[in-house]
mmCIF file of all heavy atoms in Angstrom:
data_model
loop_
_atom_site.group_PDB
_atom_site.id
_atom_site.type_symbol
_atom_site.label_atom_id
_atom_site.label_comp_id
_atom_site.label_asym_id
_atom_site.label_seq_id
_atom_site.Cartn_x
_atom_site.Cartn_y
_atom_site.Cartn_z
ATOM 1 N N GLY A 146 -1.586 -13.874 5.102
ATOM 2 C CA GLY A 146 -2.479 -13.542 6.187
ATOM 3 C C GLY A 146 -2.859 -12.098 6.286
ATOM 4 O O GLY A 146 -3.659 -11.665 7.114
ATOM 5 N N ALA A 147 -2.275 -11.226 5.369
ATOM 6 C CA ALA A 147 -2.539 -9.800 5.432
ATOM 7 C C ALA A 147 -3.777 -9.422 4.701
ATOM 8 O O ALA A 147 -4.173 -10.067 3.729
ATOM 9 C CB ALA A 147 -1.343 -9.005 4.880
ATOM 10 N N TYR A 148 -4.489 -8.336 5.204
ATOM 11 C CA TYR A 148 -5.612 -7.849 4.467
ATOM 12 C C TYR A 148 -5.073 -7.108 3.195
ATOM 13 O O TYR A 148 -4.041 -6.467 3.301
ATOM 14 C CB TYR A 148 -6.396 -6.882 5.328
ATOM 15 C CG TYR A 148 -7.319 -7.520 6.331
ATOM 16 C CD1 TYR A 148 -7.042 -7.500 7.644
ATOM 17 C CD2 TYR A 148 -8.477 -8.245 5.867
ATOM 18 C CE1 TYR A 148 -7.882 -8.143 8.597
ATOM 19 C CE2 TYR A 148 -9.314 -8.823 6.808
ATOM 20 C CZ TYR A 148 -9.022 -8.774 8.188
ATOM 21 O OH TYR A 148 -9.864 -9.411 9.064
ATOM 22 N N TYR A 149 -5.843 -7.302 2.124
ATOM 23 C CA TYR A 149 -5.479 -6.656 0.851
ATOM 24 C C TYR A 149 -6.757 -6.083 0.319
ATOM 25 O O TYR A 149 -7.718 -6.745 -0.111
ATOM 26 C CB TYR A 149 -4.892 -7.663 -0.079
ATOM 27 C CG TYR A 149 -4.109 -7.107 -1.293
ATOM 28 C CD1 TYR A 149 -2.781 -7.462 -1.487
ATOM 29 C CD2 TYR A 149 -4.700 -6.232 -2.231
ATOM 30 C CE1 TYR A 149 -2.050 -6.933 -2.523
ATOM 31 C CE2 TYR A 149 -4.011 -5.769 -3.250
ATOM 32 C CZ TYR A 149 -2.635 -6.038 -3.445
ATOM 33 O OH TYR A 149 -1.965 -5.550 -4.495
ATOM 34 N N PHE A 150 -6.838 -4.715 0.357
ATOM 35 C CA PHE A 150 -8.008 -4.014 -0.102
ATOM 36 C C PHE A 150 -8.015 -3.964 -1.671
ATOM 37 O O PHE A 150 -6.929 -3.686 -2.295
ATOM 38 C CB PHE A 150 -8.036 -2.568 0.390
ATOM 39 C CG PHE A 150 -8.404 -2.443 1.797
ATOM 40 C CD1 PHE A 150 -7.554 -1.840 2.693
ATOM 41 C CD2 PHE A 150 -9.610 -2.900 2.316
ATOM 42 C CE1 PHE A 150 -7.882 -1.669 4.032
ATOM 43 C CE2 PHE A 150 -9.964 -2.766 3.634
ATOM 44 C CZ PHE A 150 -9.064 -2.175 4.530
ATOM 45 N N ILE A 151 -9.113 -4.186 -2.295
ATOM 46 C CA ILE A 151 -9.295 -3.857 -3.705
ATOM 47 C C ILE A 151 -10.541 -2.945 -3.829
ATOM 48 O O ILE A 151 -11.452 -3.042 -3.102
ATOM 49 C CB ILE A 151 -9.403 -5.094 -4.635
ATOM 50 C CG1 ILE A 151 -10.699 -5.897 -4.284
ATOM 51 C CG2 ILE A 151 -8.146 -5.936 -4.562
ATOM 52 C CD1 ILE A 151 -10.971 -7.000 -5.343
ATOM 53 N N THR A 152 -10.430 -2.027 -4.755
ATOM 54 C CA THR A 152 -11.470 -0.987 -4.901
ATOM 55 C C THR A 152 -12.066 -1.013 -6.285
ATOM 56 O O THR A 152 -11.838 -0.123 -7.058
ATOM 57 C CB THR A 152 -10.898 0.390 -4.509
ATOM 58 O OG1 THR A 152 -9.795 0.660 -5.421
ATOM 59 C CG2 THR A 152 -10.485 0.479 -3.089
ATOM 60 N N PRO A 153 -12.905 -2.049 -6.602
ATOM 61 C CA PRO A 153 -13.463 -2.147 -7.948
ATOM 62 C C PRO A 153 -14.332 -0.913 -8.272
ATOM 63 O O PRO A 153 -14.942 -0.300 -7.408
ATOM 64 C CB PRO A 153 -14.293 -3.401 -7.898
ATOM 65 C CG PRO A 153 -13.747 -4.198 -6.777
ATOM 66 C CD PRO A 153 -13.284 -3.201 -5.764
ATOM 67 N N LEU A 154 -14.415 -0.617 -9.602
ATOM 68 C CA LEU A 154 -15.207 0.463 -10.098
ATOM 69 C C LEU A 154 -16.332 -0.112 -10.936
ATOM 70 O O LEU A 154 -16.269 -1.259 -11.452
ATOM 71 C CB LEU A 154 -14.395 1.393 -10.969
ATOM 72 C CG LEU A 154 -13.178 1.959 -10.283
ATOM 73 C CD1 LEU A 154 -12.225 2.663 -11.267
ATOM 74 C CD2 LEU A 154 -13.514 2.880 -9.108
ATOM 75 N N ASP A 155 -17.349 0.713 -11.171
ATOM 76 C CA ASP A 155 -18.522 0.221 -12.029
ATOM 77 C C ASP A 155 -18.027 -0.156 -13.442
ATOM 78 O O ASP A 155 -18.747 -0.939 -14.098
ATOM 79 C CB ASP A 155 -19.560 1.254 -12.115
ATOM 80 C CG ASP A 155 -20.273 1.540 -10.749
ATOM 81 O OD1 ASP A 155 -20.190 0.637 -9.936
ATOM 82 O OD2 ASP A 155 -20.896 2.593 -10.558
ATOM 83 N N ILE A 156 -16.958 0.416 -13.883
ATOM 84 C CA ILE A 156 -16.498 0.128 -15.226
ATOM 85 C C ILE A 156 -15.682 -1.203 -15.370
ATOM 86 O O ILE A 156 -15.389 -1.592 -16.501
ATOM 87 C CB ILE A 156 -15.642 1.303 -15.800
ATOM 88 C CG1 ILE A 156 -14.427 1.610 -14.945
ATOM 89 C CG2 ILE A 156 -16.502 2.536 -15.971
ATOM 90 C CD1 ILE A 156 -13.527 2.592 -15.566
ATOM 91 N N ASN A 157 -15.356 -1.766 -14.196
ATOM 92 C CA ASN A 157 -14.599 -3.005 -14.275
ATOM 93 C C ASN A 157 -15.475 -4.210 -14.567
ATOM 94 O O ASN A 157 -16.665 -4.285 -14.134
ATOM 95 C CB ASN A 157 -13.947 -3.269 -12.860
ATOM 96 C CG ASN A 157 -12.909 -2.273 -12.453
ATOM 97 O OD1 ASN A 157 -12.827 -1.875 -11.309
ATOM 98 N ND2 ASN A 157 -12.102 -1.782 -13.413
ATOM 99 N N GLU A 158 -14.934 -5.149 -15.321
ATOM 100 C CA GLU A 158 -15.649 -6.456 -15.559
ATOM 101 C C GLU A 158 -15.589 -7.251 -14.311
ATOM 102 O O GLU A 158 -14.511 -7.393 -13.703
ATOM 103 C CB GLU A 158 -15.007 -7.160 -16.701
ATOM 104 C CG GLU A 158 -15.205 -6.428 -18.089
ATOM 105 C CD GLU A 158 -14.573 -7.209 -19.218
ATOM 106 O OE1 GLU A 158 -14.264 -8.417 -19.039
ATOM 107 O OE2 GLU A 158 -14.438 -6.628 -20.320
ATOM 108 N N LYS A 159 -16.693 -7.898 -13.925
ATOM 109 C CA LYS A 159 -16.721 -8.758 -12.755
ATOM 110 C C LYS A 159 -15.709 -9.846 -12.882
ATOM 111 O O LYS A 159 -15.193 -10.326 -11.857
ATOM 112 C CB LYS A 159 -18.116 -9.216 -12.476
ATOM 113 C CG LYS A 159 -19.053 -8.101 -12.045
ATOM 114 C CD LYS A 159 -20.462 -8.665 -11.773
ATOM 115 C CE LYS A 159 -21.414 -7.557 -11.236
ATOM 116 N NZ LYS A 159 -22.830 -8.082 -10.988
ATOM 117 N N THR A 160 -15.544 -10.443 -14.050
ATOM 118 C CA THR A 160 -14.624 -11.470 -14.230
ATOM 119 C C THR A 160 -13.200 -11.058 -13.911
ATOM 120 O O THR A 160 -12.414 -11.827 -13.324
ATOM 121 C CB THR A 160 -14.708 -12.082 -15.636
ATOM 122 O OG1 THR A 160 -14.453 -11.024 -16.607
ATOM 123 C CG2 THR A 160 -15.999 -12.769 -15.912
ATOM 124 N N ASN A 161 -12.834 -9.808 -14.211
ATOM 125 C CA ASN A 161 -11.496 -9.324 -13.956
ATOM 126 C C ASN A 161 -11.290 -9.092 -12.483
ATOM 127 O O ASN A 161 -10.240 -9.381 -11.896
ATOM 128 C CB ASN A 161 -11.255 -7.993 -14.658
ATOM 129 C CG ASN A 161 -10.872 -8.172 -16.105
ATOM 130 O OD1 ASN A 161 -10.527 -9.275 -16.541
ATOM 131 N ND2 ASN A 161 -10.880 -7.107 -16.837
ATOM 132 N N VAL A 162 -12.356 -8.666 -11.765
ATOM 133 C CA VAL A 162 -12.293 -8.483 -10.327
ATOM 134 C C VAL A 162 -12.046 -9.875 -9.665
ATOM 135 O O VAL A 162 -11.195 -9.977 -8.769
ATOM 136 C CB VAL A 162 -13.564 -7.892 -9.747
ATOM 137 C CG1 VAL A 162 -13.603 -7.829 -8.252
ATOM 138 C CG2 VAL A 162 -13.759 -6.469 -10.315
ATOM 139 N N GLN A 163 -12.747 -10.888 -10.138
ATOM 140 C CA GLN A 163 -12.529 -12.226 -9.520
ATOM 141 C C GLN A 163 -11.150 -12.761 -9.902
ATOM 142 O O GLN A 163 -10.510 -13.443 -9.010
ATOM 143 C CB GLN A 163 -13.586 -13.169 -10.091
ATOM 144 C CG GLN A 163 -13.636 -14.523 -9.397
ATOM 145 C CD GLN A 163 -13.867 -14.374 -7.923
ATOM 146 O OE1 GLN A 163 -14.822 -13.742 -7.485
ATOM 147 N NE2 GLN A 163 -13.053 -15.051 -7.085
ATOM 148 N N LYS A 164 -10.633 -12.471 -11.084
ATOM 149 C CA LYS A 164 -9.270 -12.905 -11.421
ATOM 150 C C LYS A 164 -8.253 -12.307 -10.475
ATOM 151 O O LYS A 164 -7.285 -12.992 -10.016
ATOM 152 C CB LYS A 164 -8.936 -12.523 -12.849
ATOM 153 C CG LYS A 164 -9.650 -13.443 -13.897
ATOM 154 C CD LYS A 164 -9.296 -12.860 -15.301
ATOM 155 C CE LYS A 164 -9.989 -13.700 -16.370
ATOM 156 N NZ LYS A 164 -9.748 -13.080 -17.713
ATOM 157 N N LEU A 165 -8.378 -11.005 -10.166
ATOM 158 C CA LEU A 165 -7.493 -10.324 -9.258
ATOM 159 C C LEU A 165 -7.595 -10.982 -7.834
ATOM 160 O O LEU A 165 -6.569 -11.222 -7.202
ATOM 161 C CB LEU A 165 -7.710 -8.866 -9.242
ATOM 162 C CG LEU A 165 -6.757 -8.073 -8.325
ATOM 163 C CD1 LEU A 165 -5.305 -8.254 -8.697
ATOM 164 C CD2 LEU A 165 -7.142 -6.593 -8.414
ATOM 165 N N LYS A 166 -8.791 -11.184 -7.421
ATOM 166 C CA LYS A 166 -9.029 -11.818 -6.144
ATOM 167 C C LYS A 166 -8.309 -13.154 -6.028
ATOM 168 O O LYS A 166 -7.635 -13.476 -5.044
ATOM 169 C CB LYS A 166 -10.518 -12.015 -5.832
ATOM 170 C CG LYS A 166 -11.225 -10.755 -5.413
ATOM 171 C CD LYS A 166 -12.653 -11.139 -5.083
ATOM 172 C CE LYS A 166 -13.437 -10.062 -4.485
ATOM 173 N NZ LYS A 166 -14.817 -10.467 -4.203
ATOM 174 N N ASP A 167 -8.517 -13.941 -7.069
ATOM 175 C CA ASP A 167 -7.977 -15.306 -7.123
ATOM 176 C C ASP A 167 -6.474 -15.274 -7.033
ATOM 177 O O ASP A 167 -5.789 -16.036 -6.304
ATOM 178 C CB ASP A 167 -8.422 -16.030 -8.327
ATOM 179 C CG ASP A 167 -9.893 -16.378 -8.325
ATOM 180 O OD1 ASP A 167 -10.485 -16.358 -7.266
ATOM 181 O OD2 ASP A 167 -10.441 -16.699 -9.422
ATOM 182 N N LEU A 168 -5.818 -14.328 -7.753
ATOM 183 C CA LEU A 168 -4.410 -14.163 -7.763
ATOM 184 C C LEU A 168 -3.883 -13.820 -6.362
ATOM 185 O O LEU A 168 -2.914 -14.407 -5.857
ATOM 186 C CB LEU A 168 -3.935 -13.089 -8.771
ATOM 187 C CG LEU A 168 -2.459 -12.786 -8.784
ATOM 188 C CD1 LEU A 168 -1.691 -13.919 -9.413
ATOM 189 C CD2 LEU A 168 -2.188 -11.482 -9.501
ATOM 190 N N LEU A 169 -4.521 -12.904 -5.728
ATOM 191 C CA LEU A 169 -4.070 -12.431 -4.394
ATOM 192 C C LEU A 169 -4.319 -13.474 -3.340
ATOM 193 O O LEU A 169 -3.519 -13.637 -2.417
ATOM 194 C CB LEU A 169 -4.837 -11.158 -4.037
ATOM 195 C CG LEU A 169 -4.537 -9.983 -4.912
ATOM 196 C CD1 LEU A 169 -5.431 -8.792 -4.568
ATOM 197 C CD2 LEU A 169 -3.096 -9.538 -4.874
ATOM 198 N N ASN A 170 -5.362 -14.265 -3.536
ATOM 199 C CA ASN A 170 -5.525 -15.452 -2.589
ATOM 200 C C ASN A 170 -4.430 -16.473 -2.707
ATOM 201 O O ASN A 170 -4.023 -17.050 -1.761
ATOM 202 C CB ASN A 170 -6.915 -16.133 -2.906
ATOM 203 C CG ASN A 170 -8.108 -15.345 -2.407
ATOM 204 O OD1 ASN A 170 -7.949 -14.593 -1.376
ATOM 205 N ND2 ASN A 170 -9.191 -15.459 -3.037
ATOM 206 N N ILE A 171 -3.920 -16.590 -3.905
ATOM 207 C CA ILE A 171 -2.834 -17.580 -4.168
ATOM 208 C C ILE A 171 -1.560 -17.227 -3.258
ATOM 209 O O ILE A 171 -0.920 -18.128 -2.778
ATOM 210 C CB ILE A 171 -2.415 -17.605 -5.666
ATOM 211 C CG1 ILE A 171 -3.520 -18.345 -6.449
ATOM 212 C CG2 ILE A 171 -1.050 -18.341 -5.847
ATOM 213 C CD1 ILE A 171 -3.294 -18.248 -7.907
ATOM 214 N N ILE A 172 -1.303 -15.935 -3.093
ATOM 215 C CA ILE A 172 -0.151 -15.566 -2.271
ATOM 216 C C ILE A 172 -0.513 -15.325 -0.815
ATOM 217 O O ILE A 172 0.299 -14.733 -0.053
ATOM 218 C CB ILE A 172 0.591 -14.306 -2.852
ATOM 219 C CG1 ILE A 172 -0.323 -13.147 -2.929
ATOM 220 C CG2 ILE A 172 1.125 -14.642 -4.234
ATOM 221 C CD1 ILE A 172 0.423 -11.831 -3.320
ATOM 222 N N GLY A 173 -1.726 -15.751 -0.400
ATOM 223 C CA GLY A 173 -2.054 -15.779 0.998
ATOM 224 C C GLY A 173 -2.769 -14.522 1.523
ATOM 225 O O GLY A 173 -2.910 -14.360 2.738
ATOM 226 N N CYS A 174 -3.233 -13.649 0.627
ATOM 227 C CA CYS A 174 -3.938 -12.421 1.114
ATOM 228 C C CYS A 174 -5.332 -12.652 1.522
ATOM 229 O O CYS A 174 -6.011 -13.586 1.068
ATOM 230 C CB CYS A 174 -3.915 -11.371 -0.036
ATOM 231 S SG CYS A 174 -2.309 -10.897 -0.567
ATOM 232 N N ARG A 175 -5.871 -11.835 2.472
ATOM 233 C CA ARG A 175 -7.256 -11.805 2.844
ATOM 234 C C ARG A 175 -7.841 -10.638 2.168
ATOM 235 O O ARG A 175 -7.786 -9.496 2.575
ATOM 236 C CB ARG A 175 -7.390 -11.670 4.336
ATOM 237 C CG ARG A 175 -6.653 -12.823 5.100
ATOM 238 C CD ARG A 175 -6.435 -12.466 6.604
ATOM 239 N NE ARG A 175 -7.652 -12.356 7.313
ATOM 240 C CZ ARG A 175 -7.685 -12.046 8.629
ATOM 241 N NH1 ARG A 175 -6.580 -11.742 9.314
ATOM 242 N NH2 ARG A 175 -8.820 -12.004 9.280
ATOM 243 N N VAL A 176 -8.512 -10.901 1.001
ATOM 244 C CA VAL A 176 -8.997 -9.827 0.106
ATOM 245 C C VAL A 176 -10.274 -9.277 0.613
ATOM 246 O O VAL A 176 -11.212 -9.971 0.913
ATOM 247 C CB VAL A 176 -9.120 -10.373 -1.310
ATOM 248 C CG1 VAL A 176 -9.497 -9.224 -2.244
ATOM 249 C CG2 VAL A 176 -7.778 -11.009 -1.786
#
Side-chain angles (χ1 to χ4, degrees):
Y148 281 109
Y149 198 119
F150 288 121
I151 62 170
T152 55
L154 305 171
D155 291 340
I156 59 174
N157 296 142
E158 294 181 12
K159 290 183 179 179
T160 54
N161 279 348
V162 174
Q163 189 58 52
K164 285 177 184 177
L165 181 58
K166 281 184 175 181
D167 291 344
L168 177 72
L169 297 172
N170 284 330
I171 287 172
I172 61 172
C174 299
R175 302 163 67 183
V176 183

